[in-house]
Amino acid sequence: MSNVLEGLLNGISNNENDHGELAICVQNAYKSYGYWKRVNVLHDVNLSVPKGFIYGLLGPSGCGKTTLLRCLVGRLQLNNGQITVLGAIPGSRGHGVPGAKVGFMPQETALYKDFNISEMLHYFGRLHNMSRQGILKQESFLLGFLDLPSKTKKINQLSGGQQRRVSLACALLQQPELLILDEPTVGVDPLLREKIWSHLMFISKTNGTTIVITTHYIEEARKANRVGLMRSGRMLAEDEPIALLAKYNQSSLENVFLNLCVEDQNRVLSKLKRNSSAHEDLQHQQLEATTMTNTGAHSLAVNDQNGTGVVDRENYSASVSLDPEMIAEAALNDRTARSEGGDTDILPNGKISAEQIKPTQLVKRPILTAKRAAVDCCICPHAHKIWALMVKDLTVIKRSIGFLIFQFLIPVIQISLFCLCIGRDPQRIPVALVNDESFANYPTGNRSLLLLTKINTDYIQLHSFDDMLLATAYVEKGDYYGVMNIRKNFSQAILDKLTKFKADPATLDQSAVHLFLDMTNQQVTYVMQNSILTATQLFMKELLIQNKIDPRIADPPVIIEKPIYGDLTPRFLNFAAPGMMISIIFFLAIGLTALIFVVEKKEGLLERSWIAGIIYFLCKISTMQKWRRFYLIFFDRVRYLVLNFLSEKN
Ligand SMILES: Nc1ncnc2c1ncn2[C@@H]1O[C@H](COP(=O)(O)OP(=O)(O)OP(=O)(O)O)[C@@H](O)[C@H]1O
C-alpha cells in the first residue's frame, strides 16, 4: 500500500504503482474545458476496472462519459488526479496506450467515407503493424460476425448502423488488451446487439480483454461485470449490477439509477441548504431534466428509497435544478469532510481507496503525453505507421480524382494568367512630351525630332503637350506615367557638348532630356528609363557619325559581354515565373494539408488515428511529403510547357 501512495505522490507513471490486477485506475479525476470560461466536466471521479472485466459506464447525455474515455486513452489530460491504464499513465513512453494495446470506438463514426470496408480495416491493421494474413483473417471473421455487407462496399454506401458496425470492427481488429467503446450498440438491431455483447463477454473471458463501454440502453449494461453510474461529472456508484439491484431493491438498473439520482439530489440540496449558498441556473435545470428523459429514465413514478413515496416527474424536475458548480463544490466538501473524518476504505482487492488520497497530494499535471509521443517518434520512426498513412493518402487521392484535377488546374490557370497578364514587360506606356524646341508639335529641322524617332514605340507612347504644368497635372491624375521635357536650345546644346566638348552648366542642362516620372511602379519605371536611355544613346551615336566622330564615344565605359547565364535582354517573366510557381506550390500544399486536417479533425478521424498511435507530427510529415512530391513533379513539366508556349508566342 505504501508503494501505491509513494507512486501516486511522485507522479511516477510506471508499473511501480502496482495496481495489482486493475487494468484501469482513475483517482480523484478533475477535468475542465476552456481557459477563459471554464466548464467543469469531471469532479473527483474514481473508477477502477479489474483486468478482463466489462465495465459499463452509464449516465445521461453530457455527464462526462466521453470526456472520461478520452482521458483514459490519453487524448485529454486531467486538470487534477491520476489515471493509470494497463499499468502506466496513458501516453507514457513505450506504453501501447494510445497505440495497439487499445481499441477505440468513438461516438461519431470516424471513418473515411470514400474507403470501402476492406480498405478501412487494412488502414487500421497497418497502423497496428498487423500482418496481411492477420488482417485478412480478422476481416473475414468481423464481416461475418457483425453482419456486414461485401467488403468492397464503400462506407458512404452503408447505412448509419452499418457504418457504426464497421467502426466497431476497426476497434476489435487488432484484438487489443483494452477496448474502449463509446456507445457501440446505437442503431444496432436487438439480435445483433445480443451478439455483440456475447462476443464482448467471450473475449473478456477467453482473452482477458478489458472492456469499457458506454451505452444509453441502461439495461444492456446488466451484462457488464461492473457498472459505474455517472451524473453531472460525478460517479454516483460503482459496483456489480446484481449488487446494485440488491442494494436498492430494484428490478432494473434504470430504477437504481433514478434512485441514485434522487438520493444524490437530496444530499447535495441539504448540503447547499446548510451552507445557505443556493444559486439558480435555469438553463442547467432544463438540460438535466431533458437529458434524464433521454437516458431511458422514462418511468419516473417509482418507489423512492424508503419505499413509501413516489417520485413524480415534477418532483424530479425540481430536484434536478442545480448548478454544476454548486454540485461540484458540494461534492468537494463532501469528500473533504469524509477524508477529515478519517474514514479509511480498503478496496476488495486490498488497495487503498482513492478517496483516501487528497487531491493536493496528487500529481498536479500528468506528464505531457504529446511531447513524449514526439520524442518516441523521433527515436523510432514507426515505418509501418508512415506506410499506413501513405497507403491511406494514396487511396484518398485515388477516390477523389475530380478534386485532384481541380487542385492541379488552379495553379496551372494561375500561372498562365500570371505569365499572360503580369509577368510580361509593360508595353505602350503613356508618357507626356513637352518639347520646348518644337512649334506645331513636331517641326522639322531640329535635332530633338531625331531623338524622338529613336524611342521604341512598343514600349513608350508619347503624347505631345505645349504646357509643362498641364502635362504634370495629367501625370498626377494618373493618365500618364511621366513627362519628358526637352529644353528650348536642345539641338545646339547637344551639338556643342558632343562636338565642341562644352561643359558649362547651361549647355549641360539644355543638352539633357529631363524626365519627371511616376516611379511608384518599379517595373514600369525600369522600362521607361531603359527605353529613353537607349534611344538617347542611339541618337548621340548618329549625331557623332554625322559629325565624323567615332560613335563609340557615346558608349558608357562599361561593356556587357556575352552572359554566362540568361540573355542579353533579360525578361521579367523569366525571372518572376519560377518564384511565382514555387509560391503557388508551397501555399497550395499548405492549404491542402490544412484542409485535410480540418476535415479529418471534424469527422473525428484525426483523433481516432491519434488513439491508434499516430501523432499529428507524423500525419503532417506524410501529408506534406505526398503533396509536395506530387506538385513538384507535375509543375516541373507544366513550367516548361507554359514557358515554351509563351516564349514562342512572344
Ligand atoms: N471540447 C469541449 N469544450 C467545452 N466543453 C465540452 C467539450 N467537450 C465536451 N464538453 C462539455 O462537457 C460536458 C460533457 O461532455 P461529454 O461529451 O463528455 O458527455 P457525454 O456524457 O459523453 O455525453 P453523450 O452521452 O451525449 O455523448 C458537456 O456538457 C459538453 O458540453
Side-chain angles (χ1 to χ4, degrees), residues 4 101 148 160 213 274 310 336 350 380 400 456 488 567 643:
V4 177
K101 276 189 187 175
L148 286 166
I213 183 166
R274 271 211 307 275
V310 169
T336 314
C380 164
S400 43
N456 189 338
K488 253 184 190 162
D567 302 324
L643 286 181

Side-chain angles (χ1 to χ4, degrees), residues 33-34 39-42 59-68 70 107 182-183 214 216 287:
Y33 287 111
V39 183
N40 295 318
V41 178
L42 299 181
S61 181
C63 72
K65 299 184 298 291
T66 305
T67 305
L68 183 57
R70 292 174 82 201
Q107 212 167 59
D182 203 351
E183 298 182 13
T214 70
H216 275 179
L287 176 73

Side-chain angles (χ1 to χ4, degrees), residues 20-38:
E21 287 304 305
L22 284 189
I24 297 173
C25 182
V26 179
Q27 289 165 319
N28 307 99
Y30 287 84
K31 174 71 195 163
S32 55
Y33 287 111
Y35 291 104
W36 309 114
K37 210 177 162 196
R38 289 207 154 214

Side-chain angles (χ1 to χ4, degrees), residues 385-429:
K385 290 179 186 170
I386 295 176
W387 172 239
L389 286 173
M390 285 176 72
V391 174
K392 182 260 292 177
D393 288 337
L394 283 173
T395 317
V396 171
I397 293 171
K398 217 166 65 184
R399 291 290 140 77
S400 43
I401 292 291
F403 179 68
L404 200 68
I405 292 171
F406 178 69
Q407 285 294 326
F408 283 142
L409 279 180
I410 290 179
V412 172
I413 292 168
Q414 277 181 319
I415 289 175
S416 306
L417 286 176
F418 174 81
C419 293
L420 288 168
C421 310
I422 304 169
R424 303 169 74 175
D425 287 336
Q427 295 194 327
R428 295 176 216 278
I429 302 165

Side-chain angles (χ1 to χ4, degrees), residues 523-541:
Q523 191 59 21
V524 171
T525 307
Y526 169 77
V527 171
M528 272 194 300
Q529 285 180 351
N530 206 32
S531 304
I532 293 170
L533 281 173
T534 310
T536 312
Q537 204 177 358
L538 289 173
F539 159 72
M540 288 198 303
K541 282 189 174 187

